[in-house]
Amino acid sequence: DHAGEYGATKIYAGQLAVFGKKSKIGKTIKHMADQEQEHIETFDRLIVEQRVRPTIMMPIWNLAGYALGVTTALMGKKAAMACTVAVEDVIGKHYEKQAKKLKNNDPPLKKILLKFKKDELEHHDIGLDNDAEQIIGYTIFSKLIKTGCKLAIEISKKI
């Protein structure tokens, strides 16, 4: 979760570097980026409290996330929003799966996961409302990004 939220902050940072914070789409992205910042700060705190070692892949996720953000933004608003929809779909489902797995074993953590899932699905819907599905090749584009996200999750779990 920590690595995923870190990656999300970098994707939005890359998109904001292209669109700026004052453009209409930039303001929308900034709203989502601010929520992602809250998420990463929460996981930064939990990593220390729970004495969990973060993945060694963080430098790679830094570069990959920022590059994905810049690249999709350079492709235009629709591509940036398609990226958001794909990423947030994977992350929302990831949080849901974790919350179910927790059952009632850690109610405070489960509450965090469900709140963050809600935020991620809000971002997903914002992307849809901003014409994400109108990009040419949306299905393939979305599948590629989702596959990359799922792969990043699995790698981060292992190393």
Side-chain angles (χ1 to χ4, degrees):
D1 295 338
H2 179 258
E5 294 297 348
Y6 183 75
T9 63
K10 297 306 175 183
I11 291 168
Y12 289 134
Q15 291 176 344
L16 286 170
V18 173
F19 291 124
K21 294 178 183 176
K22 297 193 189 290
S23 68
K24 185 178 178 190
I25 195 62
K27 289 176 183 174
T28 299
I29 293 169
K30 177 77 169 83
H31 163 73
M32 296 185 291
D34 289 345
Q35 287 180 317
E36 299 296 352
Q37 188 60 41
E38 174 195 344
H39 299 178
I40 191 64
E41 288 171 5
T42 298
F43 286 120
D44 281 343
R45 177 181 52 78
L46 288 173
I47 273 186
V48 172
E49 287 175 6
Q50 301 295 322
R51 301 175 59 102
V52 176
R53 183 180 51 84
T55 178
I56 63 169
M57 297 299 292
M58 295 299 275
I60 303 298
W61 302 154
N62 178 18
L63 293 172
Y66 193 81
L68 181 60
V70 168
T71 301
T72 56
L74 289 172
M75 293 171 67
K77 173 189 148 189
K78 292 174 187 175
M81 292 295 102
C83 176
T84 294
V85 169
V87 170
E88 302 299 19
D89 180 65
V90 170
I91 301 305
K93 288 175 181 170
H94 181 66
Y95 281 143
E96 178 68 26
K97 184 178 173 183
Q98 289 180 321
K100 283 182 181 177
K101 190 173 182 178
L102 275 175
K103 296 180 183 169
N104 292 319
N105 292 327
D106 191 340
L109 180 58
K110 186 172 184 175
K111 183 178 179 183
I112 290 168
L113 294 175
L114 292 175
K115 191 250 188 242
F116 289 178
K117 175 193 148 199
K118 181 178 169 275
D119 292 347
E120 306 301 357
L121 295 180
E122 175 192 333
H123 301 169
H124 173 275
D125 293 346
I126 287 170
L128 291 176
D129 291 344
N130 280 278
D131 305 324
E133 295 174 304
Q134 292 181 18
I135 185 176
I136 295 170
Y138 173 78
T139 303
I140 293 169
F141 188 74
S142 178
K143 186 150 182 89
L144 284 170
I145 293 173
K146 286 180 179 184
T147 300
C149 288
K150 290 173 185 176
L151 183 61
I153 289 169
E154 292 307 312
I155 290 169
S156 293
K157 286 180 187 178
K158 304 259 187 253
I159 56 174

